[in-house]
Amino acid sequence: NATGLEVDIIDVSESTAARALQGPASRAILQQLTNDDLAAVRYFRLIQTTLKGIKVTISRTGYTGDLGYEIWVNAAHALPLWDALIGAGTPYGITPCGILALDMARIEAGLMLLDVDYISAHRALIEGQKSSPYELNLGWAVDLTKERFIGQIALAAEAVRGPSWQFVGLDVDWLSLEQLYAEVGLPPRLPAAAWRTSVPVYADGTQVGYATSGCWSPLLKQYIALAHLKAPYATPGQQLAMEVTVEHRRKQAAARVVKTPFFNPDRKRA
């Protein structure tokens, strides 16, 4: 990107550490460590400040559906920063979590995962693996009135006719799932972690799409999934069926199309 420009590009990946603090108490915890007013930092904005004397950049971002912040710091100060966060957060019940917990949170937030929920055009092997911004609910990021750009004509045409596919949420019906297990004499068995596989979705026995990520949400007490559906079947409230495996046999549980995010508290953006 520096070609022809009077700039220097420096890769600081190895010298930069990142910490993510997410959840309803994240602001209260951070505020104890800085004199700057974090309530003034708007959603998707950032501030340069200090946390307990450590210089950091804090962005109001994160890969969850809740209020949260990401903290960027010189790698040499990563451990002292960790200790400061744990110290300030202990009275609030702060808990370190890993990728399995994060994967559940991002599904609840309706956030896509690259190479799982969609494939970039650079990595797609066939046309059928590609998706347009409108098919991924990213039409808000397309400005068709701006100066000419690659793909503008095709996107303008799609904006008029509508996308062929839609990326939606699925709410799997609990009673339907329970019945499938009851038929073989078992209680419902729920995944302990989020799954990342292609799972067929049907309408009246015909496949009309596929789910790409799903989990039992411990927060919402729902079995939820993210799915690509043919546009005529993507209307919220549409009754469908998602394939589930019960005792090594493929079955279909009733599912309903819902808008994402599944979890979207006001405090995330307030």
Side-chain angles (χ1 to χ4, degrees):
N1 288 335
T3 302
L5 302 176
E6 295 181 4
V7 297
D8 293 323
I9 304 297
I10 303 172
D11 186 350
V12 298
S13 300
E14 296 300 320
S15 60
T16 303
R19 294 281 179 262
L21 185 64
Q22 304 285 306
S26 56
R27 181 182 298 157
I29 293 171
L30 279 181
Q31 194 61 73
Q32 296 178 77
L33 303 175
T34 181
N35 293 324
D36 288 308
D37 182 13
L38 295 180
V41 181
R42 295 167 56 200
Y43 184 59
F44 256 74
R45 299 297 193 272
L46 56 81
I47 183 175
Q48 292 182 334
T49 183
T50 60
L51 295 178
K52 209 168 184 180
I54 302 171
K55 290 183 179 181
V56 299
T57 298
I58 300 175
S59 57
R60 189 172 167 183
T61 55
Y63 204 38
T64 73
D66 212 326
L67 173 67
Y69 300 87
E70 291 177 300
I71 309 164
W72 312 89
V73 64
N74 185 292
H77 303 300
L79 290 179
L81 175 61
W82 175 276
D83 292 340
L85 292 172
I86 295 298
T90 295
Y92 293 85
I94 192 172
T95 303
C97 351
I99 188 64
L100 296 182
L102 186 63
D103 216 11
M104 285 186 175
R106 68 96 184 167
I107 293 174
E108 292 170 344
L111 298 174
M112 293 179 292
L113 182 60
L114 178 64
D115 292 332
V116 173
D117 297 306
Y118 76 105
I119 300 174
S120 73
H122 293 292
R123 295 175 63 88
L125 299 177
I126 58 175
E127 284 297 314
Q129 293 178 337
K130 297 179 181 178
S131 300
S132 77
Y134 295 112
E135 291 177 334
L136 297 177
N137 290 341
L138 295 176
W140 57 268
V142 178
D143 181 4
L144 294 173
T145 65
K146 68 182 291 187
E147 187 178 348
R148 188 172 179 83
F149 60 90
I150 295 174
Q152 186 178 38
I153 295 176
L155 288 174
E158 185 179 13
V160 172
R161 70 174 183 270
S164 300
W165 290 78
Q166 289 279 268
F167 189 66
V168 302
L170 292 179
D171 180 10
V172 181
D173 182 72
W174 174 257
L175 293 179
S176 173
L177 192 67
E178 190 176 45
Q179 178 62 32
L180 292 177
Y181 279 92
E183 290 172 358
V184 296
L186 291 173
R189 293 184 177 179
L190 300 170
W195 48 263
R196 304 177 179 182
T197 53
S198 181
V199 176
V201 177
Y202 301 91
D204 298 323
T206 300
Q207 185 173 352
V208 295
Y210 54 96
T212 49
S213 295
C215 70
W216 169 258
S217 167
L219 179 68
L220 304 174
K221 303 299 186 288
Q222 291 174 272
Y223 192 7
I224 57 178
L226 299 173
H228 295 265
L229 298 177
K230 293 180 180 178
Y233 302 93
T235 304
Q238 175 76 45
Q239 297 296 322
L240 300 170
M242 187 181 81
E243 184 176 287
V244 295
T245 300
V246 179
E247 277 302 283
H248 318 294
R249 290 177 172 81
R250 294 178 179 179
K251 304 289 184 177
Q252 294 181 20
R256 179 173 57 94
V257 176
V258 296
K259 289 184 177 181
T260 57
F262 301 97
F263 178 63
N264 191 28
D266 292 338
R267 60 177 176 260
K268 178 180 179 180
R269 296 173 180 266

